[in-house]
């Protein structure tokens, strides 16, 4: 029976031994006990390795690998998927953790929907100390279209990925589908979003459960500070990915909704990185993202573009040679 299915919980980790214990203990405490916990460690030292050996050495459910050399985020996750032996796969990052019945709540959906391929639910938002903020949790889920009226089988599975309704972790899916989609290492910090989009686009049945099943830790470490605002920003990669997708006409509104969120961010990135022409082209092509002029951000971004032109001329840089591709 599906309810007894083995679930492979994949935990990529990198230099966070102070947080991974809470993550792993939440996995081991699941009310659904037929699990394996796969850990891929990209850490630059042996602190996590020593911790795992000392604390979990006698628990056969824990399957730990130290990646030497480190694989990087996408290839680390892909290696975990490849090692998974369960019928279902779930992903949880090392600074996040599951509610005690999180796995059981998701897995139970296959009882009512045997052809189900992907399931996800709500995430609590917690701070660095692990404190839950219910109002921020509600806002987090609402911002990504995870609200009570949306609960159930999704009429357009692909839409859930495109509009980022599908979360970065705390989900569950059939192992064969997960392994077929895989994690791409050519999209940088955008690999979570690209995976979620491609997974949902490939699935025929995706279910959203309006229930908290996991905890998402909002810290500086959970967001890439090294790439934000640069030519490697995840938002730019996501924009290029969504813009370049070949989609059925029925999914064009979902693409537009995704680009409504992404386009203004990309305009700002281009303007701040000596690519004013590129910024202007994106802004004019996506005026709907600015309410066709009703959004004050449009005029702020136009001012950024103008300043970029002036600055580049002052520094003797040709504005026709942007740094961005």
């Amino acid at each position: 029976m599906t309810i007894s299915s083995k679930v492979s919980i994949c935990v990529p980790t990198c230099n966070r031994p102070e947080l991974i214990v809470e993550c792993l203990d939440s996995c081991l405490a699941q009310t659904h006990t037929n699990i394996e916990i796969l850990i891929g460690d990209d850490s630059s030292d042996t602190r996590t390795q020593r911790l795992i050996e000392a604390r979990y050495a006698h628990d056969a459910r824990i399957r730990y690998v130290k990646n030497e050399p480190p694989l990087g985020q996408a290839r680390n996750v892909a290696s975990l998927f490849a090692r998974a032996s369960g019928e279902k796969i779930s992903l949880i990052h090392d600074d996040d953790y599951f509610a005690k019945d999180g796995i059981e709540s998701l897995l139970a959906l296959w009882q009512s929907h045997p052809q189900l391929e992907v399931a996800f639910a709500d995430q609590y938002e917690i701070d660095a100390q692990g404190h839950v903020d219910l109002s921020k949790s509600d806002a987090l889920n609402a911002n990504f279209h995870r609200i009570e009226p949306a609960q159930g089988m999704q009429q357009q599975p692909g839409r859930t990925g495109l509009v980022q309704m599908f979360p970065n972790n705390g989900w569950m899916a059939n192992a064969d589908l997960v392994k077929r989609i895989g994690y791409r290492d050519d999209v940088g910090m955008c690999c979570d979003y690209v995976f979620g989009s491609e997974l949902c686009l490939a699935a025929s049945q995706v279910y959203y459960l309006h229930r908290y099943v996991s905890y998402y830790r909002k810290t500086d470490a959970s967001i890439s500070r090294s790439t934000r605002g640069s030519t490697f920003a995840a938002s730019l990669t996501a924009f290029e990915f969504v813009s370049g997708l070949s989609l059925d006409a029925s999914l064009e509104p979902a693409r537009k909704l995704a680009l409504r969120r992404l386009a203004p961010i990309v305009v700002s990135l281009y303007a701040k990185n000596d690519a004013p022409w590129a910024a202007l082209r994106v802004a004019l092509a996506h005026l709907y993202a600015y309410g066709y002029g009703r959004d004050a951000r449009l005029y702020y971004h136009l001012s950024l573009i103008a300043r970029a032109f002036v600055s580049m001329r002052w520094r003797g840089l040709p504005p026709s040679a942007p740094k961005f591709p």
Side-chain angles (χ1 to χ4, degrees):
M1 295 177 62
T2 303
I3 200 67
S4 62
S5 296
K6 182 178 181 180
V7 179
S8 298
I9 304 176
C10 298
V11 185
T13 187
C14 184
N15 295 326
R16 286 201 277 232
E18 71 282 0
L19 294 176
I20 196 173
V21 168
E22 188 169 21
C23 175
L24 296 179
D25 285 353
S26 80
C27 296
L28 292 169
Q30 288 301 299
T31 52
H32 179 79
T33 57
N34 189 9
I35 59 172
E36 64 176 357
I37 302 164
L38 308 171
I39 306 166
D41 184 7
D42 257 9
S43 298
S44 57
D45 56 40
T46 61
R47 290 179 299 155
T48 300
Q49 183 177 13
R50 295 197 307 269
L51 183 153
I52 300 297
E53 291 172 349
R55 189 179 179 99
Y56 304 107
H58 302 296
D59 197 318
R61 294 173 292 176
I62 297 282
R63 296 172 56 196
Y64 170 87
V65 170
K66 179 78 164 71
N67 299 323
E68 295 178 325
L71 298 175
Q73 181 183 357
R75 288 197 295 143
N76 189 10
V77 174
S79 73
L80 293 170
F81 291 168
R83 289 165 51 202
S85 63
E87 300 167 48
K88 311 296 179 193
I89 288 178
S90 189
L91 175 72
I92 194 77
H93 293 115
D94 57 357
D95 56 340
D96 303 328
Y97 58 96
F98 275 111
K100 190 173 182 179
D101 62 350
I103 294 295
E104 181 181 5
S105 297
L106 292 172
L107 186 58
L109 296 171
W110 269 265
Q111 286 293 100
S112 304
H113 308 282
Q115 302 307 310
L116 183 62
E117 294 174 280
V118 178
F120 64 94
D122 296 334
Q123 299 171 301
Y124 284 113
E125 181 174 315
I126 59 176
D127 61 21
Q129 290 71 42
H131 301 133
V132 174
D133 188 317
L134 288 176
S135 62
K136 287 185 177 179
S137 298
D138 289 343
L140 169 71
N141 291 288
N143 285 341
F144 293 104
H145 316 284
R146 297 191 290 263
I147 54 176
E148 186 173 4
Q151 177 170 262
M153 199 70 73
Q154 301 301 294
Q155 293 185 355
Q156 291 185 305
R159 178 185 182 276
T160 62
L162 291 171
V163 304
Q164 288 185 271
M165 187 178 181
F166 184 81
N168 63 333
N169 65 184
W171 47 262
M172 184 179 293
N174 289 345
D176 57 349
L177 177 62
V178 171
K179 293 182 180 189
R180 176 157 58 87
I181 298 303
Y183 249 63
R184 290 172 51 179
D185 64 358
D186 62 335
V187 291
M189 297 303 296
C190 194
C191 53
D192 286 327
Y193 173 64
V194 170
F195 167 77
S197 295
E198 293 185 334
L199 182 76
C200 293
L201 284 166
S204 60
Q205 290 196 8
V206 174
Y207 195 101
Y208 161 58
L209 177 66
H210 183 55
R211 178 175 180 175
Y212 285 106
V213 302
S214 64
Y215 295 77
Y216 168 67
R217 195 181 303 268
K218 189 75 171 291
T219 67
D220 286 353
S222 64
I223 304 171
S224 174
R225 299 293 180 182
S226 62
T227 60
R228 175 182 285 186
S230 77
T231 58
F232 300 101
S235 297
L236 177 60
T237 306
F239 175 82
E240 294 172 342
F241 168 73
V242 174
S243 299
L245 280 173
S246 295
L247 297 174
D248 183 83
S250 64
L251 284 171
E252 287 301 333
R255 188 205 307 263
K256 189 172 183 178
L257 186 57
L259 293 176
R260 187 189 301 275
R261 180 191 295 270
L262 292 167
I265 301 172
V266 170
V267 170
S268 178
L269 285 170
Y270 277 145
K272 292 176 180 178
N273 285 271
D274 293 341
W277 279 117
L280 188 60
R281 284 196 297 270
V282 173
L284 294 179
H286 300 84
L287 283 174
Y288 60 84
Y290 296 98
Y292 295 100
R294 295 188 297 274
D295 188 334
R297 286 184 305 170
L298 174 62
Y299 307 102
Y300 170 66
H301 285 168
L302 289 175
S303 72
L304 288 181
I305 293 169
R307 286 202 293 269
F309 276 119
V310 172
S311 174
M312 292 180 69
R313 183 172 183 179
W314 179 262
R315 288 178 288 146
L317 297 176
S320 58
K323 290 183 179 178
F324 285 24

